[in-house]
Amino acid sequence: MDRLVTLATCNLNQWAMDFEGNYNRICQSIVKAKCANARYRLGPELEICGYGCADHFYESDTFYHSWQVLAKLLKFPQARDMLCDVGMKLILIRPKKAMADDGVYREGRWFTAWNKE
């Protein structure tokens, strides 16, 4: 039996610590994915808080506001009947094993790589 599944991937222009703006861009991408009849929408890592939060990753309000945005996304009506994979530092799924620690990237400063198999 053949089945066709539409997967929507997105690369959003997210800003560090712009929780409301990031939420709006995530919602727009969900609507576009829904219009394309996608059943699964995959977003980039850290799309809720933004990638370049630097030392803000140490602050508890970064986590708090990330959870607030996730709660709003769970109530977003257009996200019903679709699996939405949103990037957030606190959510499970799959631990990152390799950190970007070259050039301008310093992930090892704020995160620890998963070293178990």
Side-chain angles (χ1 to χ4, degrees), residues 6 8 27-41 76-84:
T6 302
C27 289
Q28 289 172 1
S29 74
I30 290 171
V31 169
K32 286 183 180 181
K34 190 81 161 201
C35 289
N37 295 317
R39 301 290 292 168
Y40 179 78
R41 180 248 179 227
F76 188 58
Q78 286 82 358
R80 289 197 172 93
D81 300 322
M82 180 190 309
L83 180 61
C84 294

Side-chain angles (χ1 to χ4, degrees), residues 7-101:
L7 166 70
T9 63
C10 56
N11 186 8
L12 306 177
N13 186 20
Q14 302 298 70
W15 290 82
M17 306 302 288
D18 180 16
F19 294 99
E20 191 63 31
N22 292 347
Y23 167 78
N24 290 332
R25 286 181 287 277
I26 292 168
C27 289
Q28 289 172 1
S29 74
I30 290 171
V31 169
K32 286 183 180 181
K34 190 81 161 201
C35 289
N37 295 317
R39 301 290 292 168
Y40 179 78
R41 180 248 179 227
L42 173 64
E45 67 177 340
L46 300 174
E47 70 178 319
I48 289 179
C49 63
Y51 188 78
C53 290
D55 286 345
H56 291 291
F57 285 125
Y58 292 126
E59 299 171 4
S60 62
D61 65 330
T62 302
F63 301 113
Y64 177 73
H65 295 307
S66 294
W67 281 108
Q68 285 180 317
V69 170
L70 181 61
K72 285 173 61 176
L73 288 169
L74 290 172
K75 296 175 185 173
F76 188 58
Q78 286 82 358
R80 289 197 172 93
D81 300 322
M82 180 190 309
L83 180 61
C84 294
D85 189 340
V86 295
M88 186 169 137
K89 183 177 188 272
L90 310 175
I91 296 295
L92 303 174
I93 304 295
R94 179 182 167 277
K96 193 166 184 175
K97 294 184 174 186
M99 298 288 119
D101 280 319

